Amino acid sequence: MKLPRRLPSTLAALVCALSMPSNEAAAQSENLRVGFLTVRTGPLAAGGRQMEEGINLLLKERNYAFAGRKVDIFFADTAGQPALAKTKTQELIEREKVHVIIGPLATFEALAIDDYMLQSKVPLITPTSAAQNDLAQKKQSDYVIHVYGTAAQPMYALGDYAAKKLRLKRIAMIADDFTYGHEGAAGFHRVFEDDGGRIVQKLWPPLNVPDYGSFIGQLKANVDGIYAGFAGSNPLRFLRAYKEYGLKLPLFGNPTFVDEGILKNMGDEALGVYSASWYTVDRNTPDNKRFVDSIQGEYKVTPGFYTAGTYTAGLWL
């Protein structure tokens, strides 16, 4: 019998179920075991908390079930450290027998576990990390799904805006010295210089630097603006130090620099910052309004990039 090319979805599902080997059919009745790589300690912990709020809200809305299968979720704190991320990933797969992993937060963590994910053939859904070359562009693994784009993509728009709309010519850069910081800065750098501007300086403070004062003191004064690429709690620390030192140059920040999820902790030091991101809390669509209302009702906070990214990762799953 020939089936029509456009098979109704319910019939297609039935055909798949009837043709499925008995062990696979039994697997479909198991609880779905989801590993979740979060950050609960260290400078990136603020983002980890928002990630957990995103996935926990979705699970609660779906009564802890996806597509009719109950979900068991296993959280693992990587502390934002690549070596620990690999250890926790191995524990989730080998001890907890998870079927899929959501996370991690940071790009350098995703790079650390990429080979292992490919070997284990367990899907990894990344809500925030996005290694530009190694994971996204080269497409080296069929087991990595990127919910959002790369670190550089929104910075293309920001660099273009700085050069074409604001007509700035000289920019100094300062950013976290890890993969996400480098890739965001590279995106801004490329487009800003392609549009006629010039990057005259780059500073890379360590992720755990205790104080930004010495780095701020090194920033060149004869520029039109400063690009600042920071994540976690570091944007707040940098902005307060920037204000204390009395600098007035315009600031251009990566998506996590003045993300809605951390703006509640900021004061006047955040005023006037230019930024670009995949997500904004005031996006005027019914689904976003419902999402924002739900997060505010559940956690009494405003959702940001990390929250929306992880909620979306759950929708993908």
Side-chain angles (χ1 to χ4, degrees):
M1 180 182 71
K2 266 193 173 182
L3 292 175
R5 294 183 67 184
R6 295 183 62 83
L7 192 67
S9 58
T10 51
L11 177 58
L14 179 60
V15 170
C16 290
L18 291 177
S19 63
M20 186 181 295
S22 58
N23 59 334
E24 291 187 28
Q28 292 298 314
S29 65
E30 290 179 26
N31 284 10
L32 182 64
R33 300 168 70 82
V34 178
F36 193 96
L37 295 172
T38 185
V39 179
R40 291 176 173 172
T41 52
L44 300 177
R49 183 180 64 253
Q50 294 167 55
M51 287 172 62
E52 292 186 42
E53 290 170 353
I55 194 64
N56 283 330
L57 175 67
L58 181 65
L59 286 168
K60 184 176 180 180
E61 289 177 343
R62 302 297 176 94
N63 196 27
Y64 285 82
F66 291 161
R69 290 178 69 182
K70 284 293 184 180
V71 174
D72 296 326
I73 189 164
F74 301 84
F75 292 94
D77 177 15
T78 70
Q81 299 176 15
L84 188 56
K86 187 170 183 179
T87 299
K88 294 295 184 179
T89 300
Q90 291 173 321
E91 290 177 359
L92 288 172
I93 292 174
E94 296 171 20
R95 187 178 67 195
E96 306 298 348
K97 309 296 183 185
V98 299
H99 300 113
V100 61
I101 290 180
I102 293 178
L105 183 151
T107 300
F108 65 170
E109 295 178 288
L111 291 171
I113 67 175
D114 182 45
D115 287 342
Y116 180 74
M117 300 306 300
L118 183 59
Q119 294 167 14
S120 64
K121 293 181 168 54
V122 172
L124 176 72
I125 305 178
T126 64
T128 57
S129 63
Q132 173 99 1
N133 293 316
D134 299 274
L135 299 184
Q137 290 177 340
K138 293 181 182 177
K139 300 179 181 177
Q140 292 176 328
S141 175
D142 292 330
Y143 292 88
V144 178
I145 298 171
H146 294 270
V147 172
Y148 278 147
T150 66
Q153 283 173 320
M155 297 300 91
Y156 295 159
L158 190 62
D160 189 70
Y161 184 85
K164 290 184 177 179
K165 298 294 185 181
L166 301 181
R167 301 187 180 280
L168 305 186
K169 295 299 181 184
R170 291 165 55 86
I171 294 283
M173 295 184 133
I174 180 170
D176 285 324
D177 190 11
F178 71 140
T179 309
Y180 179 70
H182 283 267
E183 290 188 349
F188 185 97
H189 184 153
R190 174 179 174 176
V191 174
F192 185 71
E193 292 206 338
D194 283 352
D195 288 342
R198 185 182 169 206
I199 302 299
V200 300
Q201 182 185 31
K202 288 185 178 181
L203 299 176
W204 305 105
L207 190 60
N208 292 299
V209 67
D211 179 65
Y212 287 109
S214 62
F215 289 93
I216 291 174
Q218 296 177 52
L219 286 170
K220 292 183 180 294
N222 60 338
V223 293
D224 302 316
I226 305 292
Y227 171 91
F230 295 101
S233 59
N234 288 346
L236 177 60
R237 296 172 55 233
F238 174 80
L239 278 170
R240 286 178 175 172
Y242 191 83
K243 184 177 180 180
E244 287 173 4
Y245 275 74
L247 274 68
K248 304 293 186 183
L249 290 167
L251 283 170
F252 298 84
N254 61 339
T256 52
F257 189 62
V258 284
D259 178 68
E260 278 100 341
I262 60 170
L263 271 177
K264 62 182 182 295
N265 299 320
M266 297 178 176
D268 290 349
E269 64 268 16
L271 292 176
V273 173
Y274 297 93
S275 185
S277 181
W278 306 277
Y279 177 75
T280 177
V281 72
D282 55 1
R283 183 169 180 262
N284 189 21
T285 61
D287 61 337
N288 187 55
K289 288 180 178 179
R290 183 200 56 76
F291 168 70
V292 173
D293 289 344
S294 297
I295 286 289
Q296 290 176 335
E298 188 74 20
Y299 299 107
K300 308 296 186 268
V301 297
T302 299
F305 157 61
Y306 293 111
T307 323
T310 311
Y311 187 92
T312 306
L315 291 176
W316 270 89
L317 179 56

